[in-house]
Amino acid sequence: MRTVKEISRLTGISVRTLHYYDEIGLLKPTDKSEAGYRLYDDKALEALQEILFFREFDISLKEIKAIMDNPQLDRNRILQMQRKMLVSKKERMERLIASIDNLLKGEDQMDFTVFGREEIEDMYTSMVGHMSDEQKAIFISHYGSMEAFEEHFIKSASSEAAQKNFQKVVEWYGDKESALEASKNPGNSELLPAYQRRIEAILKKLAAKKGCDVHSFEVKEIIGEYDFVSKQLYQMKDVTKMMLELAEAYKTNRQIQEIQDSIYGEGTTAFFGEAIEAFYKPTASE
């Protein structure tokens, strides 16, 4: 058994933090001494190590507790997931270090790689697997063969511009694995037009509210529907980052404003942006 101070020295976690973990039920001590001091065994130390792994990736304490409290928790699966997360972070850090080294050498270049060639090839294989024969025929007609299209796809997806876009997608999905999984499992393509029609209907309802207070319930109710549909469409648990970027584009991009205003009415696009921003960035009084 180890005391809380010994655990603190061993892990670098403050005594106050360990006390807090005990208070919220995240990491309870194994036992207490006669004097009332917290004591931890090796199993508790292993649990703390798992908590620290999750904290490394900014997972909230509430979410970590839900994971740790799950009776179906597969420890090996958790460790495998944590290992993948760490390897991904290690690879990213190595690329950044290499880029800094190149800059120090006078080579003005940065490595923005998010998905490597093998991952891009997996994306292509999955994408083609979801294509109908009619869709494949279009690409064959344009590129001459599916092999030529594959070469074009891999080259385009490996470009710096594409990799920068991938980085945004990773931020939206929260991690690289989720973004990659979504790209490889796009869902039923027959549903996409239905989702698009629903989003168009939502925007029409929102356009009709132009001039209303963006913080009003009637406007937020419409954006709430937009949020729900977007999560289904993009297979994302949280679309906040993506929607806030969309709101910024609606408010500042003149080209987007001209196109959308021609559909929904003058000034509606900027209103869309303000309404979306108000929904995802509530005021302090709310």
Side-chain angles (χ1 to χ4, degrees):
M1 292 283 194
R2 295 181 175 87
T3 65
V4 69
K5 288 185 178 180
E6 288 173 329
I7 292 292
S8 176
R9 285 196 297 268
L10 188 63
T11 63
I13 301 300
S14 70
V15 171
R16 179 177 294 180
T17 297
L18 290 169
H19 286 176
Y20 180 65
Y21 286 177
D22 180 11
E23 290 170 11
I24 64 174
L26 179 60
L27 182 71
K28 304 294 290 183
T30 308
D31 201 354
K32 288 190 176 182
S33 68
E34 292 182 2
Y37 295 114
R38 296 171 175 84
L39 299 173
Y40 298 84
D41 62 8
D42 289 341
K43 188 175 181 180
L45 190 58
E46 288 176 8
L48 177 58
Q49 186 178 42
E50 289 179 356
I51 293 168
L52 297 181
F53 271 129
F54 284 121
R55 291 298 290 153
E56 180 72 18
F57 295 92
D58 297 322
I59 297 175
S60 71
L61 294 178
K62 182 179 180 181
E63 290 174 313
I64 294 173
K65 187 175 186 303
I67 294 170
M68 303 293 285
D69 288 346
N70 185 351
Q72 304 300 320
L73 181 66
D74 184 333
R75 299 286 174 178
N76 286 335
R77 186 178 177 186
I78 292 294
L79 286 172
Q80 288 170 0
M81 180 181 72
Q82 290 171 335
R83 186 182 187 281
K84 284 180 67 178
M85 293 167 73
L86 287 170
V87 167
S88 176
K89 185 173 183 179
K90 171 177 171 288
E91 291 173 350
R92 178 66 178 161
M93 293 302 295
E94 287 176 345
R95 288 196 296 270
L96 288 172
I97 291 170
S99 297
I100 292 172
D101 287 343
N102 288 333
L103 287 173
L104 290 172
K105 293 175 185 176
E107 300 174 19
D108 188 14
Q109 59 181 17
M110 289 288 285
D111 182 4
F112 295 98
T113 303
V114 177
F115 295 127
R117 183 181 177 88
E118 185 176 342
E119 291 167 322
I120 292 172
E121 288 175 348
D122 284 345
M123 281 186 206
Y124 173 83
T125 300
S126 179
M127 179 182 67
V128 171
H130 287 87
M131 283 184 185
S132 65
D133 290 339
E134 291 79 8
Q135 289 171 322
K136 291 178 184 177
I138 294 173
F139 287 107
I140 291 172
S141 173
H142 187 77
Y143 293 97
S145 67
M146 288 303 291
E147 289 75 17
F149 171 60
E150 179 180 8
E151 183 179 346
H152 169 80
F153 178 87
I154 292 173
K155 182 178 179 180
S156 298
S158 301
S159 69
E160 181 177 312
Q163 291 291 330
K164 285 181 178 179
N165 287 331
F166 285 146
Q167 183 60 53
K168 282 185 176 292
V169 174
V170 169
E171 290 175 4
W172 292 343
Y173 278 89
D175 58 75
K176 178 178 173 180
E177 287 70 27
S178 298
L180 187 60
E181 187 65 23
S183 71
K184 291 165 65 176
N185 297 281
N188 190 340
S189 59
E190 295 178 0
L191 291 176
L192 295 180
Y195 278 122
Q196 186 59 42
R197 287 193 296 271
R198 188 167 176 188
I199 288 176
E200 288 172 0
I202 290 169
L203 292 178
K204 284 181 181 178
K205 286 196 292 184
L206 188 59
K209 299 296 180 183
K210 191 185 75 167
C212 294
D213 182 358
V214 293
H215 297 284
S216 66
F217 174 78
E218 55 186 338
V219 171
K220 289 201 170 187
E221 185 178 30
I222 297 172
I223 301 299
E225 184 182 356
Y226 199 174
D227 175 88
F228 176 75
V229 174
S230 296
K231 286 175 180 175
Q232 290 183 314
L233 173 59
Y234 299 109
Q235 303 172 55
M236 295 169 66
K237 293 181 180 178
D238 186 353
V239 294
T240 301
K241 289 182 180 179
M242 182 184 74
M243 295 299 282
L244 284 174
E245 288 193 18
L246 179 64
E248 184 64 22
Y250 279 170
K251 290 168 58 180
T252 60
N253 190 307
R254 288 300 307 163
Q255 186 176 8
I256 293 176
Q257 289 175 354
E258 288 174 8
I259 294 171
Q260 291 231 129
D261 282 1
S262 68
I263 300 172
Y264 299 105
E266 184 68 27
T268 52
T269 307
F271 174 71
F272 291 166
E274 291 169 2
I276 292 169
E277 190 172 85
F279 182 86
Y280 292 99
K281 284 186 175 181
T283 62
S285 61
E286 296 177 289

